[in-house]
Amino acid sequence: MMHASQLDTDGRLRHLLGLDGLPRVAIERLLDDAARLRAQWREHGMLPQALAGRTVVNLFFEASTRTRTSFDLAARRLGALVVNFDIASSSTSKGETVEDTLATLEAMDADAFVVRHKENGTPAMLAAHARRAAILNAGDGNRAHPTQGLLDLLAIRDRKGRVDGLSVAICGDIRHSRVARSDVHGLRALGAASIRLCGPAPLLPDASEFPDCAIEDDMDKALDSADVVIMLRIQRERIEHLPNLDADSYHARYGLTRARLARAKPDALVMHPGPINRGVEIASDVADGAQSAILDQVANGVFVRMAALAQLLER
Ligand code: CP
């Protein structure tokens, strides 16, 4: 199995590389720990310093606001020392390989590396090279973004009370989305009844990659009676070359407006991993409306990342 190295022989997390290959019990344990940490934080405004003396390195080879900041806050609020590694001024700019960067920082007793990279598989490759440190995937290519998947599952569980039996529509550039892939793995593991993937045909994945999902280029059909609607960021450069599709026509055909949201269940949850293109994939009044869980997702990000770091690093 590709991610066997995520779990040690006792079933405990060794690295966090993807939700595929993680059993339901491991995903639920992370969600339960995140919810417990959130309750403690909100009640007391502080947390036991479970990671005191530990060092977490943020190794981001791609831009990030939410993931990088929330890993940083999560680690610091549990007492860890955090190094935000500056790629531009590091020796990677002189040609040092990412494996040598890992080995160099591990020699300084770094305990965990949070890795975002444009190449699929870079976190897994680093996990294979790590001598002692844990690797956490903060998003690789279009392959996986496991902590985004976890924070999405937590937001759904909070508002709907369960994931089992729900109908979920994921809309946008599915083909290039690591968020869609991690969400699908997590939703399947927790028993979602149906998952519909929707977007313009050139941005849809091959059906063989998602055999148990419905793939649909008609947004209105995809939204029909959905319990949860997850909108994805559209990258303007990906639609500019598509015939008859610019930001305005994308909004007209695939944007989540109030009128379109009415096709889903009346209490359907609206989600988006961010960053948002207002007026392109989602209308502002929907993004900011009562059905939106977008800022809950952001808030959950800190706690699922705490849960993951604590499981990986707590002595
Ligand atoms: N959702 C997400 O990964 O956002 P960032 O790119 O800002 O981390």
Side-chain angles (χ1 to χ4, degrees):
M1 187 194 300
M2 188 174 177
H3 293 306
S5 62
Q6 288 192 108
L7 299 174
D8 67 16
T9 49
D10 296 324
R12 285 187 303 245
L13 267 192
R14 167 76 182 91
H15 303 286
L16 180 59
L17 304 175
L19 297 187
D20 47 328
L22 273 193
R24 178 174 185 145
V25 65
I27 293 175
E28 288 185 327
R29 191 168 158 237
L30 285 162
L31 299 183
D32 292 345
D33 284 0
R36 183 179 46 75
L37 287 159
R38 183 175 63 190
Q40 279 181 275
W41 173 257
R42 289 184 178 165
E43 188 175 348
H44 304 295
M46 59 172 67
L47 289 165
Q49 299 296 282
L51 301 186
R54 309 296 243 158
T55 301
V56 175
V57 179
N58 275 332
L59 209 53
F60 278 63
F61 293 86
E62 270 191 353
S64 167
T65 296
R66 281 146 284 269
T67 311
R68 181 175 172 139
T69 307
S70 58
F71 262 117
D72 189 333
L73 290 173
R76 286 181 206 274
R77 287 176 184 168
L78 292 177
L81 190 68
V82 177
V83 177
N84 281 304
F85 188 76
D86 182 2
I87 305 290
S89 64
S90 74
S91 289
T92 57
S93 64
K94 300 181 200 162
E96 183 168 76
T97 66
V98 65
E99 300 95 304
D100 282 337
T101 301
L102 172 81
T104 300
L105 296 171
E106 248 198 312
M108 298 179 200
D109 291 333
D111 297 292
F113 293 84
V114 178
V115 181
R116 173 170 287 191
H117 202 281
K118 69 176 192 308
E119 298 294 338
N120 287 2
T122 299
M125 180 273 288
L126 291 177
H129 277 82
R131 287 180 295 111
R132 189 185 52 80
I135 305 295
L136 296 98
N137 183 359
D140 62 327
N142 70 353
R143 208 196 69 76
H145 193 349
T147 54
Q148 180 71 44
L150 290 168
L151 69 90
D152 288 349
L153 292 171
L154 186 57
I156 295 170
R157 208 177 72 165
D158 287 341
R159 293 264 196 122
K160 296 287 172 194
R162 69 193 199 288
V163 176
D164 277 297
L166 297 181
S167 294
V168 181
I170 306 178
C171 306
D173 183 357
I174 310 289
R175 178 176 283 274
H176 301 102
S177 174
R178 55 194 174 212
V179 175
R181 285 170 176 78
S182 285
D183 281 349
V184 167
H185 291 307
L187 289 164
R188 272 188 198 136
L190 268 56
S194 85
I195 306 173
R196 294 171 224 160
L197 306 177
C198 175
L203 301 182
L204 288 172
D206 296 334
S208 58
E209 192 187 346
F210 296 95
D212 50 1
C213 298
I215 298 187
E216 179 61 73
D217 69 355
D218 182 324
M219 180 79 170
D220 292 335
K221 281 191 195 158
L223 292 180
D224 187 37
S225 302
D227 295 291
V228 178
V229 181
I230 301 175
M231 299 304 298
L232 299 176
R233 179 173 72 95
I234 200 74
Q235 296 173 49
R236 286 167 197 262
E237 65 277 15
R238 293 214 197 271
I239 57 171
E240 267 161 12
H241 70 281
L242 300 179
N244 307 320
L245 213 53
D246 56 14
D248 289 341
S249 56
Y250 186 88
H251 187 65
R253 285 181 60 193
Y254 296 100
L256 189 63
T257 58
R258 271 209 227 175
R260 202 164 257 142
L261 180 59
R263 292 183 171 270
K265 289 204 177 133
D267 61 349
L269 195 60
V270 173
M271 300 172 61
H272 192 306
I276 295 173
N277 290 307
R278 290 173 182 268
V280 184
E281 70 267 5
I282 189 165
S284 268
D285 60 348
V286 176
D288 301 332
Q291 287 170 254
S292 171
I294 293 172
L295 292 179
D296 293 350
Q297 292 172 263
V298 174
N300 288 344
V302 178
F303 301 105
V304 300
R305 287 159 183 139
M306 279 182 187
L309 286 166
Q311 284 192 24
L312 288 163
L313 297 185
E314 246 176 327
R315 287 185 226 263

